[in-house]
């Protein structure tokens, strides 16, 4: 859970109490995360290897590609974040075996906090700190943005048309992100759900 | 100001870190005039009025260095390309 | 409410709003502005002027208002300089007049007017020049009491503010007829449209005029247009939103007064929100601002802009005066006369400064109004206009009794936003107005803002510009049928000032700048319009010359006998109207001023009662006080002693960590670091220094070779981001041929120093028992993967910042909290002690390790004793310029240790080295003290410093001097390594 740092992530209602919440927020836990960076001139081979092993092609544009149990979040040219379920097996080792000499793999499982955001005012909340255009004409399900939220580096992607977003933020910055999110959602009311294990 | 990152799309300048002139090239460290060449490389800069090619780092995005063409008179950005492509092309020639 | 017209207006007579002005209670209606409500209550005197404290009333009906500035609300929410003319009336509103003492009606400083020669152009520069020592104590307080514009609240603002982004295809600025027309045609193409207007009701002059569009009142047409826009999903309407600035590449700044129309914002809602609109195209439809005419006492309450009179009549159903004189140099003034009559007012005369032939032609159309071809020489009255002196073209003079003067000097396009990016407007001689010339990329102008002053022109240009803006974004549509509108004329013959004036003629009301001031400034040589502005203050302060600017320019041109076009304009800069600092800061104030980064052990440390300090963005534990310890000194000394005698725990996760992999990882590392890494074996760590390309020290840290092609490098906490960027710069631009991959893993690894003679014993309790920590198996500078007792993986490094036997153990970030607790619990009987940043600093000073105070951007490797580390076998960043003779000069200030000769003396960082018997002056300065601490081991103050020829002077005694605080003491120069110079402890 994200509350090892300063504040306490606790389920309940934040901000306006009346009516349906404008934002519903839930921490997703128990995921494995790794940076995957293609070796020089090996991006296509790395993509092929992932496709064969996981049924997902690490994308070459800012999108997310999901396979059987691993999703690849675009993070830069030839650079992805692999996201999968937590297991006793080393995620880095598992990916390392697949990518071999095509890519370098770096475990990041402890580095980030993952949030899921939904609700009728979710775009309005995000607009208070995310400068990119999240209008459905500009950003759709499956799209990824590596950007900043309230000046903090995040990965943001859309997982459903409703819309539902996921936001991956650096753990040691999470407290500041949380304060911004809570303040930004306060006028619409925010329901914080109990953390739940990550699924694709 | 917004910079059209060739990888991420147009982004506000707050996501970027400015570095400087993208037209200078690191000289050889071994030549007899290496010190003079490095002195020039590190300290001597043109200050053009008009279009300028500059290095910007997409710190709040893809972590790629870009060569951005900016008009120093009015901050109009003409375009941005990955620094890798510019500097690799240099090597080829 | 004696001036309220019985019917009409866009006010809700069912909803009464009670308010106070200077403590007295009044009432108005929802839909009123504060100004209209004051006028409805026959309040004409609203404030005192800035310099002369002259009585001032309400000049305008919009954001251009220079006079009617009031303090809104009270206590912590008191806001000065708000314009009564665009404050939306609400129930419970409190307003107070400004700039008067002791009361609005009896202002003792109105006597300033008698001494007005003192206050002429440049009076600040002339009057308060000498003696200089008087400035702070006499002049400034005097000026501040006498002048100034209202009082800010003294308490912290209890409300919150926000910032937000919004994107669109077409941004329409201004929701008058042109803006509504543009929004309609753009939105009907399917483009995403944002329509913003500073007023609390959309509609602009459609609300203020008795004109018709296709046979229906303009206000009804506007209401229909707004309803249509509101029904479209991709249109966003922003009333109460001022677009205050145009920035680069389609970024527009705007402030939305979300809850300024309520006494207190509803819980959880911001008072204001600053928007950054990102628009592919923009249509500027900001309308026009009417110019006052320049005649004697034209600042008296009751003298109003003619267009504003119409706004009060038609929009607010208020008759601003029962008996009016209209003074105009254009056709539009006649509309005001007609509207006054229609509203039941009396128009004593319309005075038109133009040729009699024009006047009599118009007079035939207004048979009920006495028309005079001539000019108003001056207004008379005490605190309110009572009559005007008029001279006709034939030379006859009249005094006409009136309590309202409606003046019109024509309309100036509100083109400020067209020039925020540096473009200047163009003077249109024919129409005597500035019009937009070069425009910011993506901007178009429609309606009066472009000089197209009539309703018909506004609609046509609005429709067209909305359509073309949408087309530029790839959307197509067609022009609607052009509506039939009331005919009108914008003919004008400019009258910049009357020929004969009675009394002071004000050009800039807010700054009390008169025609005399403009003349005097010109006479004294301030002939550029920019100089005129600074010298006279014309066009300064909160209104930035919205009503005065063009007249000032024209008068200067007249005076200099040059065309207006040659005079030019002053520069328009954002913001268009004042924006509260709180709104610009938004969420980022107080502890959210900037983000805070919390170390993985933060919660554990706060449970132990640690005191925290900011270290860059991080909040780090400074010390861990125990019961009875009341200051920093005791816990710090105790923690240092514990590390040197038992074992201490410290969170060092804040160091930057970068994982480098790939076949060329070593090549890459070799080029980044100044020292050799080629000989570093797998499973070993080495200290490394990085230079900048100019040869100065950049950063230091360690590189651990985790595998054949994998290194984990650490950076200082302070330089983590710069080093990471630098590595990318080097890889992507200097050596793109290298097959190397790296990412920051600073957050992936929670890392703790376990330091002290018992550190091995403590770790053995925490690690898998199979893990061999003996010197043979895991010597100094070893590194490797280990397992905790519960099987979880960890990394172990045998590195020491304290000089003791020490390790750093790392686990994934989310396991950090558990590990620090495990370590702390497991070491209780070993005497384990958590230590903070202060103790860490003492330990490293005792050991002579450099940090940011020494890596200050001005030191070289040679300065810090690393000269011999610099490899001569390879090219690395800084290798060439680092060899420059001046950078390796032994006479440079170089690193030394210092200890006080008097064991009781104290040291302070920043003290300067001065030879013992030399004068304490800059010529004898030989460097400075960079770090100091009290060493509980040596039981005296010690420090590190940069001293000329330092390493050659060990044993010498030198003065350290702190001239700022008047302290000095004698120190002995010594090796910077105070403790265990042989390194026996850390290899133990
Ligand atoms: Zn980018």
């Amino acid at each position: 859970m994200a509350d090892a740092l300063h504040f306490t992530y606790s389920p309940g209602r934040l901000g306006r109490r009346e009516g349906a919440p404008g934002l519903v927020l839930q921490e997703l836990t128990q995921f494995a995360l790794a940076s995957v960076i293609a070796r020089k001139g090996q991006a296509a081979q790395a993509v092929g290897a992932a496709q064969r092993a996981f049924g997902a092609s690490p994308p070459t544009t800012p999108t997310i590609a999901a396979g059987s149990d691993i999703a690849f979040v675009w993070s830069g040219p030839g650079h992805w974040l692999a996201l999968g379920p937590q297991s006793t097996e080393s995620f880095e080792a598992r990916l390392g075996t697949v990518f071999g000499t095509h890519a370098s793999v770096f475990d990041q499982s402890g580095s980030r906090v993952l949030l899921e955001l939904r609700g009728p005012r979710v775009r309005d909340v995000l607009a208070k700190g995310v400068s990119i255009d999240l209008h459905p004409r500009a950003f759709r399900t499956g799209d990824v943005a590596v950007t900043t939220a309230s000046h903090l580096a995040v990965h943001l992607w859309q997982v459903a048309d409703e819309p539902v977003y996921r936001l991956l933020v650096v753990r040691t910055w999470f407290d500041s992100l949380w304060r911004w999110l809570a303040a930004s959602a306060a006028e619409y009311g925010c329901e914080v759900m109990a953390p739940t294990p990550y699924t694709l | 100001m917004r910079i059209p990152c060739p990888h991420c799309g147009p982004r506000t300048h707050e996501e970027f870190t400015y570095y400087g002139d993208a037209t200078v090239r690191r000289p050889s460290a071994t030549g007899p005039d290496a010190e003079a060449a490095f002195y020039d490389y590190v300290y001597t800069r043109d200050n053009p009025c008009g279009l300028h090619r500059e290095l910007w780092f997409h710190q709040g995005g893809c972590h790629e260095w870009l060569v951005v063409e900016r008009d120093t008179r009015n901050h109009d950005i003409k375009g941005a390309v990955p620094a890798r492509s510019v500097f690799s092309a240099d090597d080829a020639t | 409410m004696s001036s309220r017209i019985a019917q009409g207006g866009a006010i809700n007579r069912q909803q009464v709003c009670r308010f106070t002005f200077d403590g007295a209670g009044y009432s108005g209606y929802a839909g009123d502005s504060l100004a209209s409500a004051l006028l409805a209550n026959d309040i004409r005197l609203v404030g005192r002027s800035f310099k002369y404290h002259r009585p001032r009333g309400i000049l305008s009906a919009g954001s251009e208002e220079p006079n009617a500035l009031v303090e809104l609300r009270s206590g912590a929410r008191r806001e000065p300089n708000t314009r009564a003319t665009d404050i939306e009336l609400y129930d419970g509103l409190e307003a107070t007049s400004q700039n008067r003492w002791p009361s609005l009606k009896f202002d003792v400083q109105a006597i300033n007017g008698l001494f007005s020669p003192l206050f002429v152009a440049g009076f600040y520069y002339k009057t308060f020049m000498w003696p200089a020592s008087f400035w702070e104590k006499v002049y400034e307080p005097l000026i501040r009491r006498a002048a100034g514009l209202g009082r800010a609240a003294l308490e912290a603002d209890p409300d919150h503010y926000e910032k937000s982004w919004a994107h669109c295809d077409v941004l329409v600025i201004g929701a008058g007829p042109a803006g509504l027309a543009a929004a309609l045609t753009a939105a009907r193409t399917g483009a995403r449209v944002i329509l913003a207007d500073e007023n609390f009701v959309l509609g602009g002059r459609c609300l203020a005029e008795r004109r018709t569009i296709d046979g229906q009142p303009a206000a009804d047409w506007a209401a229909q247009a707004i309803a249509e826009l509101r029904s479209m999903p991709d249109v966003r309407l922003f009333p109460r939103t001022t677009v205050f600035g145009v920035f680069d590449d389609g970024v527009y700044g705007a402030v939305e007064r979300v809850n300024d129309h309520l006494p207190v914002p509803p819980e959880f809602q911001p008072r204001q929100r600053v928007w950054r609109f990102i628009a592919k195209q923009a249509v500027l439809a900001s309308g026009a601002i009417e110019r006052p005419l320049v005649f004697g006492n034209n600042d008296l309450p009751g003298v109003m802009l003619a267009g504003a009179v119409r706004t009060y009549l038609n929009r607010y159903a208020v008759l601003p005066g029962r008996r009016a004189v209209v003074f105009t140099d254009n056709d539009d003034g006649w509309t005001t006369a007609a509207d006054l009559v229609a509203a039941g007012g009396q128009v004593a005369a319309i005075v038109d400064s133009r040729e009699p032939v024009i006047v009599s032609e118009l007079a035939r159309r207004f048979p009920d109004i006495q028309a005079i071809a001539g000019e108003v020489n001056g207004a008379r009255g005490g605190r309110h206009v009572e009559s005007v002196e008029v001279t006709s073209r034939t030379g006859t003079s009249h005094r006409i009794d009136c309590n309202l003067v409606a003046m019109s000097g024509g309309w100036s396009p509100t083109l400020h936003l067209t020039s925020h990016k540096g473009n200047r407007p163009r003077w249109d001689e024919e129409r005597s107005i500035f019009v937009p010339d070069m425009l910011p990329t993506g901007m178009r102008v429609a309606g009066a803002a472009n000089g197209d002053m009539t309703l018909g022109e506004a609609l046509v240009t609005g429709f067209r510009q909305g359509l073309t803006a949408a087309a530029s974004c790839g959307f197509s549509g067609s022009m609607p049928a052009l509506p039939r509108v009331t005919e009108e004329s914008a003919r004008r013959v400019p009258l910049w000032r009357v020929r004969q004036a009675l009394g002071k003629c004000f050009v800039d009301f807010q700054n009390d700048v008169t025609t005399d001031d403009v003349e005097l400034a010109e006479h004294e040589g301030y002939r550029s319009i920019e100089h005129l502005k600074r010298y006279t203050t014309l066009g300064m302060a909160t209104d930035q010359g919205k009503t005065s600017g063009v007249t000032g320019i024209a008068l200067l041109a007249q005076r200099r006998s040059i065309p207006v076009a040659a005079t030019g304009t002053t520069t328009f800069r954002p913001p268009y109207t004042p924006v509260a600092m709180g709104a610009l800061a938004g969420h980022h104030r107080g502890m959210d001023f900037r983000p805070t980064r919390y170390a993985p052990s933060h919660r554990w440390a706060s449970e132990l009662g640690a005191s925290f300090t900011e270290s860059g963005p991080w909040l780090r534990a400074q010390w861990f006080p125990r019961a009875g310890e009341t200051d920093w000194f005791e816990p710090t000394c105790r923690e240092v002693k514990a590390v040197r005698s038992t074992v201490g725990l410290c969170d060092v996760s804040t160091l930057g960590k970068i994982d480098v992999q790939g076949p060329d990882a070593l090549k890459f590392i070799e080029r980044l670091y100044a020292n050799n890494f080629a000989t570093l074996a797998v499973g070993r760590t080495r200290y490394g220094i990085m230079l900048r390309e100019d040869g100065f020290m950049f950063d230091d840290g360690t590189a651990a070779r985790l595998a054949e092609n994998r290194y984990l490098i650490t950076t200082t906490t302070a330089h983590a981001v710069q080093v990471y960027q630098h590595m990318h710069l080097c890889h992507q631009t200097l050596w793109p041929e290298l097959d190397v991959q790296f990412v920051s893993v600073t957050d992936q690894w929670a890392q703790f120093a376990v330091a002290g003679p018992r550190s091995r014993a403590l770790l053995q309790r925490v690690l898998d028992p199979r893990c061999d920590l003996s010197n043979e198996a895991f010597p100094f500078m070893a590194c490797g993967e280990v397992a905790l007792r519960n099987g979880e993986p960890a990394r172990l490094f045998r590195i020491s910042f304290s000089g003791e036997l020490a390790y750093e153990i790392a686990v994934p970030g989310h396991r950090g909290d558990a590990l620090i607790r495990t370590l702390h619990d497991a070491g209780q009987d070993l005497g384990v002690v958590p230590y903070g940043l202060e103790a860490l600093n003492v330990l490293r000073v005792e050991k002579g390790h450099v940090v940011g105070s020494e890596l200050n951007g001005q030191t070289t490797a040679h300065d810090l004793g690393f000269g011999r580390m610099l490899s001569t076998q390879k090219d690395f960043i800084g290798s060439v310029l680092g060899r420059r003779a001046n950078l390796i000069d032994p006479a440079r200030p170089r690193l030394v240790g210092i200890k006080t000769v008097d064991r009781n003396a104290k040291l302070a960082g920043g003290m300067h080295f001065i030879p013992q018997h030399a004068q304490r002056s800059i010529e004898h300065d030989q460097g400075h003290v960079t770090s100091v601490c009290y060493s509980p081991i040596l039981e005296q103050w010690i420090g590190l410093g940069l001293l000329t020829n330092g390493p050659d002077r060990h044993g010498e005694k030198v003065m350290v001097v702190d001239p700022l605080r008047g302290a000095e003491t004698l120190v002995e120069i010594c090796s910077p390594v105070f403790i265990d110079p042989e390194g026996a402890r850390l290899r133990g």
Side-chain angles (χ1 to χ4, degrees), chain B residues 5 8 58 62:
Chain B
C5 176
C8 304
H58 198 181
C62 59

